Amino acid sequence: MPRLSAQTPQLTEAQLCQTWLRPGLLRSPLRSIDGRVIERIDPGRWNLGDGPDFLGAALKIDGALKRGDVEFHLNSGDWTIHRHHLDARYERVALHAALNHTGGGLYVRDSSLRPVPIVELRSQLTFPLGELPRMLESSPEARECPLPDGDPPIDARLNHIETMADIRLLRRVEKMEEKASAYSLEEAFYQALGDALGYSENRAGFAKLTFRVPLRSLLGLPLLEIEARLLGTAGLIPPSETDERAALLRRLWTAYRKNQQNPRMGEMSRQEWRFAPTRRGNAPTRRVAALAALTARHADRLGSMLDGMIKEAAKGDPGRGWRRRWEYFAAQCGDQGDGYWAEHDEIGRPSRRRSRRLVGESRARDIWINAALPALVLIAERRGDEELRERAFQLYRAHPPLQSNYKTRWIAENALRQPAGSDKRMTARQQQGATDLYSLFCRPRRCAECPLLGARSLAAVHVENQAQYVIERQM
């Protein structure tokens, strides 16, 4: 590995991405490690979510026009460390840009073994590397959000964000009402529970699974029967010879399949689930097992899961006692005397460390926000129970923060002008509003319609920013 200069500044990948959007900061054309001539025609769309950093870029590589994605790293060796060479999402990457070339090869390979050219950015800058942070900060173009620093003030911005959060909650209530009208309230909540467990990677898979295996078909069954039906329908039970658990689940699933008549119960394909790269707790097999555990724990009869949830919601001060409420949707690996998942990441794959929960506190928080509270509002509206509806909104306003994500981080740092990490101190309600603000307005660049602007014109704000920039440059 080459020795890096002691003068190398502490940079982030986000700063490197900003250089891609600033034509004057990088040489044109660029030269790859293997000597190719690369021209930027269109930088593509900056992707702040999972996957490559820029999507749909247009490049000329040795004179040939190519459309593809662009991935940025501090070190080219991070391509392998981050396991992009195993991830199908990176098969459209046309260029790998890294501050330092540390991998040793002339290119990297994607999951189909296709070579991807590398550009070492430190040798392609139009100025000394140590000046990069100052160059990025010196221009208003470096700031993604055009809102001025103090107008509107942060309290007003947060008020707008909280209003968006309330609308987001009511939108979930409306969606649950549609499903409740088509099936039942219990089935609608069960599907919302699966959606919350699916996380961003496997929501589509859980939607199909909870449709094919309705809640009413699982009521009163023992845990292993529920697990077999869910994992079997999901296509996630491995061959019987894998281990004793696989053999037992496959026997239960095969016996059930012989007797069932419902055409909705067809088996899914394992390829419909996303396994990598996901954190251990988000792996689809464990998440389906978690749905089985929660169903076995709470749904002995139709409505019992909702009845228990209403009782938990009614207890105590809305701003306190949340650990007890989260425990309602936390599934222990040893529930009902079954400790298999405490020692396995996957069926037949022992874990290097023992785990206590299939559903931990972090996921239980998401379940309350995304499934339980919308269900409480819907139940209250159906019953005409204003007290329960108000209680649900009190809990929503008081719920502690959820996990930080790229959307909440972006809003906190750009739209709210707060220090890095401040989104972790938002309430869950504010994080929900921030998520909608980013998805509906920031990501599609609908800045002129931004709710935080109020009656102010974005064009006027932009002119003010540019005028201030010119004044500062002339000083």
Side-chain angles (χ1 to χ4, degrees):
M1 181 179 296
R3 185 182 300 276
L4 303 183
S5 167
Q7 301 301 314
T8 299
Q10 293 296 316
L11 298 172
T12 66
E13 287 185 9
Q15 288 175 307
L16 295 183
C17 288
Q18 289 182 40
T19 65
W20 188 248
L21 297 173
R22 304 274 300 281
L25 300 186
L26 294 174
R27 300 183 187 279
S28 182
L30 300 167
R31 285 276 183 176
S32 67
I33 294 296
D34 61 350
R36 301 189 215 188
V37 178
I38 300 174
E39 298 178 64
R40 290 172 295 173
I41 309 302
D42 177 0
R45 175 172 60 83
W46 194 354
N47 172 33
L48 298 179
D50 295 333
D53 292 307
F54 287 88
L55 305 177
L59 308 170
K60 270 190 178 179
I61 301 180
D62 284 343
L65 185 63
K66 184 175 182 60
R67 277 276 182 186
D69 304 333
V70 181
E71 175 68 1
F72 280 78
H73 286 120
L74 293 176
N75 301 300
S76 60
D78 291 344
W79 177 273
T80 304
I81 292 173
H82 295 172
R83 303 177 69 82
H84 297 335
H85 64 300
L86 303 176
D87 191 342
R89 289 178 298 182
Y90 292 81
E91 289 185 356
R92 282 179 43 83
V93 171
L95 180 66
H96 180 214
L99 179 63
N100 307 297
H101 179 45
T102 60
L106 296 179
Y107 43 77
V108 294
R109 292 187 182 273
D110 65 12
S111 59
S112 65
L113 301 182
R114 176 182 60 89
V116 178
I118 303 169
V119 165
E120 185 181 47
L121 295 177
R122 66 164 43 233
S123 63
Q124 305 293 309
L125 295 172
T126 57
F127 51 86
L129 175 61
E131 296 182 16
L132 180 57
R134 181 184 62 81
M135 296 290 291
L136 292 174
E137 289 295 329
S138 66
S139 168
E141 295 177 9
R143 177 178 287 167
E144 283 285 299
C145 179
L147 283 170
D149 286 338
D151 184 18
I154 185 170
D155 288 346
R157 298 185 193 199
L158 283 173
N159 286 338
H160 285 300
I161 286 174
E162 289 171 348
T163 298
M164 292 190 70
D166 293 345
I167 295 171
R168 180 183 174 94
L169 173 61
L170 294 174
R171 200 164 61 241
R172 283 205 176 97
V173 174
E174 184 177 0
K175 183 177 180 181
M176 193 174 288
E177 169 65 40
E178 291 176 359
K179 292 187 176 182
S181 298
Y183 307 108
S184 69
L185 181 56
E186 291 81 8
E187 291 290 352
F189 178 74
Y190 167 71
Q191 292 180 18
L193 182 62
D195 185 80
L197 288 170
Y199 205 54
S200 58
E201 299 289 351
N202 285 299
R203 295 179 67 185
F206 269 93
K208 185 178 290 188
L209 176 63
T210 52
F211 173 76
R212 293 189 179 187
V213 189
L215 177 64
R216 65 178 180 274
S217 70
L218 304 175
L219 296 178
L221 294 177
L223 173 61
L224 283 174
E225 284 277 1
I226 297 175
E227 194 171 296
R229 293 191 186 188
L230 287 171
L231 287 172
T233 303
L236 296 176
I237 302 179
S240 297
E241 58 269 21
T242 303
D243 68 359
E244 292 183 6
R245 181 67 159 222
L248 174 59
L249 292 175
R250 189 151 289 281
R251 281 199 304 272
L252 292 170
W253 168 243
T254 302
Y256 173 68
R257 287 281 286 166
K258 287 180 180 178
N259 298 321
Q260 65 90 19
Q261 303 291 325
N262 193 337
R264 285 169 53 183
M265 300 290 285
E267 186 172 343
M268 296 169 62
S269 166
R270 186 179 176 87
Q271 282 65 47
E272 295 182 63
W273 301 93
R274 185 161 193 85
F275 283 82
T278 59
R279 292 170 49 217
R280 176 196 184 203
N282 291 335
T285 307
R286 285 182 67 91
R287 286 300 186 205
V288 174
L291 180 60
L294 288 175
T295 304
R297 179 180 175 186
H298 293 297
D300 58 327
R301 58 179 175 78
L302 201 63
S304 58
M305 187 180 292
L306 296 179
D307 292 341
M309 181 184 70
I310 293 171
K311 292 177 182 177
E312 287 298 324
K315 296 175 182 176
D317 188 305
R320 298 182 180 181
W322 274 105
R323 290 197 181 280
R324 185 192 67 247
R325 297 186 188 106
W326 295 326
E327 190 64 30
Y328 187 74
F329 291 113
Q332 300 284 348
C333 287
D335 278 356
Q336 303 187 30
D338 180 41
Y340 183 85
W341 291 107
E343 299 175 347
H344 290 79
D345 289 338
E346 177 72 64
I347 298 175
R349 185 186 302 163
S351 173
R352 295 180 180 179
R353 64 184 188 280
R354 186 177 178 84
S355 57
R356 293 174 48 243
R357 297 176 182 269
L358 272 168
V359 178
E361 182 180 290
S362 174
R363 185 58 51 209
R365 293 184 185 214
D366 288 338
I367 291 172
W368 270 99
I369 289 295
N370 296 318
L373 293 179
L376 287 174
V377 174
L378 179 55
I379 292 168
E381 291 180 349
R382 284 190 160 196
R383 294 178 180 177
D385 188 339
E386 284 299 322
E387 184 177 348
L388 178 59
R389 190 179 191 278
E390 178 57 29
R391 176 70 175 186
F393 272 93
Q394 289 174 354
L395 292 169
Y396 188 49
R397 290 190 287 267
H399 195 288
L402 307 176
Q403 277 190 322
S404 172
N405 60 63
Y406 70 93
K407 296 180 181 179
T408 59
R409 287 193 295 270
W410 196 94
I411 293 297
E413 295 173 23
N414 290 274
L416 298 179
R417 304 288 195 265
Q418 297 299 296
S422 59
D423 65 314
K424 297 177 183 178
R425 296 188 293 275
M426 287 179 167
T427 64
R429 179 192 183 202
Q430 291 169 344
Q431 289 175 325
Q432 292 285 286
T435 297
D436 257 17
L437 178 64
Y438 176 84
S439 298
L440 298 176
F441 295 94
C442 304
R443 184 167 187 169
R445 298 296 186 263
R446 293 171 55 197
C447 302
E449 305 167 60
C450 177
L452 306 195
L453 273 172
R456 298 200 62 196
S457 163
L458 178 61
V461 172
H462 181 70
V463 169
E464 291 173 8
N465 284 345
Q466 293 294 326
Q468 184 62 34
Y469 172 59
V470 170
I471 292 172
E472 291 175 356
R473 293 281 288 178
Q474 291 175 344
M475 291 178 63

